[in-house]
Structure formats: C-alpha cells, structure tokens
Amino acid sequence: MAVEQIQKLLISLCLLATIGLATDIACYPVECKLSTQTFTSETCAYWDKVSDTYYLQDCNSTSYCAFPEFEDPANSTCSTTPVTALNKYPGEKCTADSDCDTTYAAGGCASGVCVGVSSNGNCTQNGECNPGLFCSSEGKCVSQLKVGSQCENDYQCINWAGCNITSTATYGTCVSYYSVSDNTRIAYCSDAMQTNLCASTLCDTVNGEAVCLSSLKSSKGNLLPIICQNSDECESTVDPGTGSSYTVDCTCGLNKHGYSFCGQWPGDPDYANLIQMWKKWTLSASIDKCNTVRRFKKVCVADWWDSNDVTLLNYFNLKVNNWPYLQMNDECVQDIFMSLYYEVKEAYNAIRNTTDPDEHHGSSSAILLAFSLSFLAYA
Ligand SMILES: *[C@@H]1O[C@H](CO)[C@@H](O)[C@H](O)[C@H]1NC(C)=O
Ligand SMILES: *[C@@H]1O[C@H](CO)[C@@H](O)[C@H](O)[C@H]1NC(C)=O
Ligand SMILES: *[C@@H]1O[C@H](CO)[C@@H](O)[C@H](O)[C@H]1NC(C)=O
Ligand SMILES: *[C@@H]1O[C@H](CO)[C@@H](O)[C@H](O)[C@H]1NC(C)=O
Ligand SMILES: *[C@@H]1O[C@H](CO)[C@@H](O)[C@H](O)[C@H]1NC(C)=O
C-alpha cells in the first residue's frame, strides 16, 4: 500500500532491541587533491592505498564523478552526464509534445500541459489518467475517492489522503495525510517505520497493531551534527506511547577525518521543517494539478507550487537526506558531490535574507564549533 516514500530513505530505522550488535563502520577520509598530486583529466576520485584516503578533482562541465565506494574502494573516472528526457505525466507543464511521456501522456502537449486519459476513458495504469482520476479495476479513469471512502491503495484516494489498509484486508479507508495523532492506531506500518498518515511520519508495530509514534528527536538534543561509530550511538528520545527508543543509521560522511554522522530524526529542527513543507504541499490547491502517482514528485511540485515554497521544500529535503555528507566537508566535496544542495541553499538564504554561517560554502569555523559541541554531548 505504501506510496513512494516522502523522501529518499537514506535514513532507515530499526529497533534498539539490537543494541550491542551494531558493528563500527569504516569510512575513508575524503579531501581535495593535494597540490603535489597530478591526476589524468578523467580521474576525479583517486583512492590512495597508502594513506587510505580519497583525493578529489573536479570533472569538466559536461561530466560528473561517481560517489566514492567505501565498501570496495577504487578510483573513479568522470562519466558523461546523460541527457535525460523530461517524460512528464498528465497535468505537468510542457512546451512540446516531446516533453510528455509517450506511455503516460500519449495525448502530447496541449495548452502547456501534458494530456492523458480523461474521465471514463480506457486505461491500464494510474499514470495514464489526467489529474483527479485513477485507473479503476474495470480499466477506466474515474474520480479519486474522498476522505472516508473505501479504498484499496493510496492512488485511489484524493492526492492529499492515503489508504489506511492492512496488508491482508480487501478494503481500507481514505485518511488525510499527516492527520493521525501520536499513540493512535493505523492499519499498517512498514518495516521502514515511516508513514505519512501519522502527524509525526513515524509508526511502529506493537503486539501486531500498528500505531503512530510521537515526533522523536535525537536523544542527544539539538547539538547536531552527531559523530558516531555505529547506529547504537544514534538513539532517539523515548516514545511515550510505546516506551521504546529507536536508532537511525550512522552514515559515512565525506570529510578529511573519515568521520560518520547520525541521520536526523523527524523531531529534529530541519526534518521537522521538511515535514511542515510536505504538509503545506498536501494542504495546497496545487497538489490537485498532479497525476495521482505524481503527488509527491518534485517535478510536479516544482511545476505548480509557489516558487518560494518549492525552494524551502528542496532545501530541507536535500539538507536532511544528505546530512552526513554536508558535515565538515572540503570545498571540492561541495562542488563535486553536493553542488545542488549549495545552490538551493543560496536561494534559501535569499528568501530568508540570511547568510546562515552554518556549513556555508568555504567557511569552516561554524562547522568546527558545531562539531566540538556535539562531541561534548557525545562524550
Ligand atoms: C588510480 O589513479 C591514479 C592516478 O590517476 C593512478 O596512478 C593509479 O594507478 C590508479 N589506480 C588504479 C587501481 O587504477
Ligand atoms: C569532458 O569529460 C568527458 C569525460 O572525461 C570527456 O569525454 C569529454 O571529452 C570532456 N569534454 C571536454 C569539453 O573537455
Ligand atoms: C475502450 O475499451 C473498450 C473495450 O475494450 C472498447 O470497446 C472501446 O472502444 C475503448 N474506447 C476507446 C475510446 O478506445
Ligand atoms: C485505520 O485502520 C485501523 C485498523 O483497521 C483502525 O483501527 C484505525 O482506527 C484506522 N484509522 C483511521 C484514522 O481511520
Ligand atoms: C527580504 O528582503 C526584502 C528586500 O529588502 C524584503 O522585501 C523581504 O520582505 C525580506 N524577506 C524576509 C523574509 O524578511
């Protein structure tokens, strides 16, 4: 039943019951190429066996560098950036027929939007139907279902609601996203322990019953980022309903010390802002302009939502999902692997009229301050 996750799950949750079993992770230092080193123009990441360090050099403007492998270290060479077709879905903006996906928006581009199948037209997949419709079991595009209606999956419900259904039931009920309170039952919780039916976005299964958790925070408080050796060190606050605390992954960063960092929790400040932005999106009229399978896709959001809101959503999304890679990194890491984040951050600062010194391009004192604070908290 799960729709696509609201963000890429770099962050996976697992019960603290596994305490003591987590093994320390090994990360390689990653830093800019030394002035004494000479690389061929194709080499962008050179793994030095002797110092066990990755050294980086930027690629040219038409190519990109593959992310370094920590499990199986090796050199990386620049790869040509692929030209990706837009493949837009019904309801998304276009300027030519070729912008529209040939399978899902076979009607091409008309009046600036890609055209799919209209009400009562034949369909085989949800992606083919125009906004406001889903593909029924009879193979017709029909109106999406209101909150409280009987449903089999999220795509049948209006874009701002999901289907509250167990994995074995035939039918569930459409429930508004982010509406179910802490410590309240829902039908199903996935292994990833995330659902956007819950206000907190977190859930757990206790004695076979799924329940929404509270908005858990890092147990170490707001002194982010937290350096870790394994996930046991990345513990949440205790959920008052279940009485349990949970752990989040400890992930290798991209810094010259080889440090790794705990992911953020939904109750931590940036993640809480991200959830607020997703919630604002589901409450906006713009979400109705998206095809049912595209309700949380950045392409459709960017087409129809207020541009400042899009900037805020992108900023918090990139910040939360790349959190370990943004800490204590060198300028070449920023340019080679994280340039999208730093571009969006500039747009964010412009909206906010701030020049937030925290992990700002080229500055490091604030990072070191944040680092020493978290290190104290960690000790
Ligand atoms: C990695 O790149 C360096 C510098 O270009 C080169 O000297 C070295 O032979 C490469 N190592 C491997 C295993 O390809
Ligand atoms: C950019 O780098 C790619 C990959 O190394 C190479 O194939 C291409 O010729 C380079 N382009 C220019 C303009 O140097
Ligand atoms: C829809 O499918 C039905 C049954 O296969 C067919 O008879 C009908 O012509 C189709 N309608 C359109 C508009 O293609
Ligand atoms: C969701 O379904 C579960 C189990 O079927 C039920 O207990 C719960 O009350 C439902 N929640 C809502 C908000 O409809
Ligand atoms: C940012 O500055 C501009 C121009 O000085 C002003 O119009 C705008 O309201 C400010 N925005 C915020 C969020 O303070």
Short mmCIF file of all heavy atoms in Angstrom, two decimals, residues 164 166 175 180 185-187, ligand 4:
data_model
loop_
_atom_site.label_atom_id
_atom_site.label_comp_id
_atom_site.label_asym_id
_atom_site.label_seq_id
_atom_site.Cartn_x
_atom_site.Cartn_y
_atom_site.Cartn_z
N ASN A 164 -5.77 3.85 4.49
CA ASN A 164 -5.46 3.20 5.77
C ASN A 164 -5.92 1.75 5.65
O ASN A 164 -7.07 1.43 5.91
CB ASN A 164 -6.21 3.94 6.89
CG ASN A 164 -5.93 3.38 8.27
OD1 ASN A 164 -4.81 2.98 8.56
ND2 ASN A 164 -6.96 3.34 9.13
N THR A 166 -4.69 -2.62 5.97
CA THR A 166 -3.72 -3.63 6.40
C THR A 166 -3.22 -4.38 5.18
O THR A 166 -3.83 -4.33 4.10
CB THR A 166 -4.35 -4.64 7.38
OG1 THR A 166 -5.32 -5.39 6.68
CG2 THR A 166 -5.00 -3.96 8.58
N VAL A 175 -7.66 8.35 4.38
CA VAL A 175 -7.39 9.18 5.57
C VAL A 175 -6.43 10.30 5.15
O VAL A 175 -5.45 10.04 4.45
CB VAL A 175 -6.76 8.31 6.69
CG1 VAL A 175 -6.23 9.16 7.83
CG2 VAL A 175 -7.75 7.27 7.20
N VAL A 180 -3.12 11.64 11.60
CA VAL A 180 -3.34 10.72 12.71
C VAL A 180 -2.39 11.08 13.87
O VAL A 180 -1.18 11.18 13.69
CB VAL A 180 -3.16 9.24 12.29
CG1 VAL A 180 -3.47 8.31 13.46
CG2 VAL A 180 -4.06 8.92 11.09
N ARG A 185 -3.99 4.32 16.62
CA ARG A 185 -3.85 3.19 15.71
C ARG A 185 -3.98 3.58 14.25
O ARG A 185 -4.78 4.42 13.86
CB ARG A 185 -4.91 2.14 16.03
CG ARG A 185 -4.50 1.20 17.16
CD ARG A 185 -5.13 -0.16 16.98
NE ARG A 185 -4.73 -0.79 15.72
CZ ARG A 185 -5.33 -1.86 15.21
NH1 ARG A 185 -6.35 -2.41 15.83
NH2 ARG A 185 -4.90 -2.39 14.09
N ILE A 186 -3.18 2.91 13.42
CA ILE A 186 -3.37 2.91 11.98
C ILE A 186 -3.40 1.45 11.55
O ILE A 186 -3.15 0.56 12.37
CB ILE A 186 -2.25 3.69 11.22
CG1 ILE A 186 -0.87 3.28 11.74
CG2 ILE A 186 -2.47 5.18 11.33
CD1 ILE A 186 0.27 3.77 10.87
N ALA A 187 -3.70 1.21 10.27
CA ALA A 187 -3.87 -0.17 9.84
C ALA A 187 -2.54 -0.91 9.68
O ALA A 187 -2.45 -2.10 9.97
CB ALA A 187 -4.66 -0.19 8.53
C1 LIG B 4 -7.05 2.75 10.43
O1 LIG B 4 -7.30 1.37 10.45
C2 LIG B 4 -7.15 0.77 11.72
C3 LIG B 4 -7.27 -0.75 11.58
O2 LIG B 4 -8.07 -1.12 10.53
C4 LIG B 4 -8.18 1.33 12.67
O3 LIG B 4 -8.06 0.77 13.95
C5 LIG B 4 -7.96 2.87 12.75
O4 LIG B 4 -8.97 3.44 13.56
C6 LIG B 4 -7.99 3.47 11.37
N1 LIG B 4 -7.60 4.87 11.49
C7 LIG B 4 -8.23 5.87 10.89
C8 LIG B 4 -7.72 7.24 11.16
O5 LIG B 4 -9.16 5.68 10.12
#
